Amino acid sequence: VNTGSGRSVTVIFCFSFLSTVFICSFMVAAPIFGYLGDRFNRKVILSCGIFFWSIVTLLSSFISKEYFWLFVLSRGLVGIGESSYSSISPTIIGDLFTSNTRTMMLSVFYLAIPLGSGLGYILGSSAKEAAGDWHWALRVSPILGITAGFLILLFVPDPKRGSADQLGGRIRSRTSWLCDMKALAKNRSYVFSSLASAAVSFATGAFGIWIPGYLFRARVVQKTAEACTKEICSSTDSMVFGAITCVTGLLGVVIGALTTRLCRQKTERADPLVCAVSMLGSAIFICLIFVVAKKSIIGAYVCIFIGETLLFLNWAITADILMFVVIPTRRATAVAFQSFTSHLLGDAGSPYLIGLISDALQQKYTTSALWRFLSLGYALMLCPFIIVLGGMFFLATALYFLDDKDKAEAQ
């Protein structure tokens, strides 16, 4: 939280910088793993990536402040490791299940994104405060990651590409990487849904960094909290926001899967239409956060709850859209470049951009607790506009969805 001291500004800058380094390495490595995932044993690549980031995360917790550059490098290496399973895991699920069952299984998988993010806030903050040292926040997840890696090696199958769609014996030989990229660039449903995914990533990336601080500033304005100048500040808002992220992630993914399943009985364009409606509805409630936060923290949390639920509703559905319009031998590449696009245009720059706008607004007027609160709120108002743009991209996806789905089936 920016309390007006130079040290707190530096802490925020370093945190945003580390987040940006992680996201950039993540998105650069994703295409590489996409290429490998379409051609080699996916289970081995997946497990090795998890082992790699877990070990690097654990080792980074022992780096002293004199070697900050080494800590930055470690965050980049973690991004490389994590990009492996984000690119490959959905394709394994796509080859194990089909139709409504695949939608439900992808929903279970994508539930881990908000759930893990929320647990990260809670466990990380708890470990930091219990030990009195933030390094301990980096020593919790590696244990869970290594366990997951061994479970994947032992129990997760690596099905033949296209086996769920009964295409295993009829898929043509793999095309070149350049041919795959040209085909994806011409796939309008894939392109528009990827741009919509970038809008979601933009909002979630900015929210994850700035919303806890924004709510703390609201408490300072309401005089229910004092500006923090201690070494370790209260993390109440981070923990509450993390808990809300966990719950809304669960609700959003489940509601999205059930809603899509029902709407498919009415229209074959259900997937992109459900995503579009949820995005537009989310923008309304996210706008309301900045209206009510000055007077009521509870009201702000209610708006966050509804807005995030609607925003998370489309994550698994977006992956399912990709499975419908992209042939099995290109899916890992497609997932990887969708991830690349969503990070490049989304959370790789959104936290920095929001901070830049907020700082620029603060410099125009005399610094005060009220203006620090308002300036950050005005900057965060960019998010609902980006979300509306994402909703428009999903509507464009709906226009071409059936044609691209038929082309994929014909191929």
Side-chain angles (χ1 to χ4, degrees):
V1 175
N2 186 346
T3 61
S5 66
R7 178 187 173 279
S8 59
V9 173
T10 302
V11 169
I12 289 177
F13 171 78
C14 290
F15 184 57
S16 299
F17 177 64
L18 289 172
S19 176
T20 300
V21 168
F22 168 81
I23 294 299
C24 288
S25 63
F26 181 98
M27 69 182 188
V28 170
I32 299 174
F33 285 110
Y35 176 88
L36 296 175
D38 278 334
R39 290 160 176 81
F40 301 101
N41 190 300
R42 292 175 290 185
K43 184 169 71 170
V44 173
I45 299 171
L46 181 62
S47 300
C48 289
I50 294 176
F51 288 139
F52 181 77
W53 80 254
S54 298
I55 293 171
V56 170
T57 299
L58 181 62
L59 294 177
S60 69
S61 69
F62 297 100
I63 298 174
S64 62
K65 62 182 179 181
E66 289 81 10
Y67 297 95
F68 179 71
W69 64 270
L70 188 57
F71 189 81
V72 172
L73 176 61
S74 72
R75 300 316 295 164
L77 293 176
V78 168
I80 294 173
E82 291 203 21
S83 67
S84 65
Y85 69 82
S86 68
S87 302
I88 295 173
S89 298
T91 68
I92 295 178
I93 297 173
D95 287 329
L96 288 173
F97 308 98
T98 187
S99 191
N100 287 329
T101 304
R102 183 173 64 194
T103 304
M104 189 60 65
M105 294 301 105
L106 284 171
S107 298
V108 173
F109 173 76
Y110 279 96
L111 169 64
I113 297 176
L115 184 61
S117 177
L119 288 175
Y121 278 101
I122 297 170
L123 295 179
S125 297
S126 300
K128 178 197 69 174
E129 293 188 354
D133 182 0
W134 64 267
H135 291 86
W136 282 93
L138 299 175
R139 297 169 187 170
V140 179
S141 61
I143 299 173
L144 302 175
I146 291 172
T147 302
F150 279 115
L151 291 174
I152 289 171
L153 279 176
L154 293 174
F155 299 109
V156 174
D158 186 17
K160 291 183 178 180
R161 291 162 181 84
S163 58
D165 301 290
Q166 298 181 349
L167 299 173
R170 296 191 287 117
I171 291 181
R172 300 173 185 175
S173 60
R174 293 185 182 90
T175 54
S176 67
W177 181 84
L178 185 60
C179 182
D180 290 344
M181 293 306 301
K182 288 181 179 179
L184 291 175
K186 294 178 181 179
N187 191 321
R188 294 167 294 186
S189 296
Y190 172 75
V191 171
F192 283 125
S193 63
S194 297
L195 292 173
S197 179
V200 176
S201 181
F202 183 98
T204 55
F207 271 33
I209 297 294
W210 292 111
I211 282 294
Y214 176 74
L215 295 175
F216 184 85
R217 295 185 190 191
R219 293 183 188 277
V220 173
V221 170
Q222 296 173 17
K223 301 187 184 303
T224 59
E226 295 183 0
C228 177
T229 57
K230 298 183 296 182
E231 182 71 19
I232 297 179
C233 302
S234 171
S235 57
T236 302
D237 289 303
S238 289
M239 294 186 70
V240 174
F241 179 73
I244 288 177
T245 301
C246 285
V247 176
T248 55
L250 172 63
L251 288 177
V253 170
V254 172
I255 292 173
L258 295 176
T259 302
T260 304
R261 189 167 184 168
L262 290 173
C263 291
R264 281 175 183 166
Q265 301 174 8
K266 304 293 183 181
T267 173
E268 294 184 50
R269 304 179 193 269
D271 296 63
L273 290 177
V274 169
C275 290
V277 172
S278 70
M279 289 279 281
L280 297 175
S282 175
I284 296 173
F285 287 96
I286 288 175
C287 277
L288 291 176
I289 295 171
F290 312 112
V291 175
V292 304
K294 184 178 178 182
K295 298 295 184 181
S296 172
I297 295 295
I298 300 298
Y301 276 131
V302 171
C303 293
I304 291 172
F305 187 93
I306 300 174
E308 280 198 334
T309 299
L310 293 172
L311 196 61
F312 294 152
L313 188 145
N314 65 71
W315 274 355
I317 307 174
T318 303
D320 211 19
I321 291 173
L322 184 149
M323 298 297 166
F324 279 120
V325 300
V326 177
I327 62 175
T329 53
R330 290 178 183 149
R331 284 175 181 170
T333 299
V335 172
F337 271 89
Q338 188 172 82
S339 177
F340 177 88
T341 303
S342 65
H343 288 305
L344 178 65
L345 302 179
D347 53 358
S350 64
Y352 177 78
L353 179 61
I354 296 300
L356 196 67
I357 296 173
S358 178
D359 286 345
L361 291 173
Q362 285 188 43
Q363 293 173 3
K364 292 184 177 295
Y365 298 93
T366 303
T367 302
S368 66
L370 176 61
W371 185 239
R372 283 196 295 271
F373 163 73
L374 291 176
S375 63
L376 182 53
Y378 293 150
L380 284 167
M381 278 294 292
L382 178 62
C383 291
F385 289 100
I386 297 297
I387 292 172
V388 169
L389 183 61
M392 297 297 104
F393 283 133
F394 273 127
L395 288 177
T397 302
L399 291 176
Y400 302 108
F401 179 66
L402 295 183
D403 288 341
D404 293 328
K405 181 181 175 182
D406 290 341
K407 289 179 182 178
E409 291 176 352
Q411 287 179 311

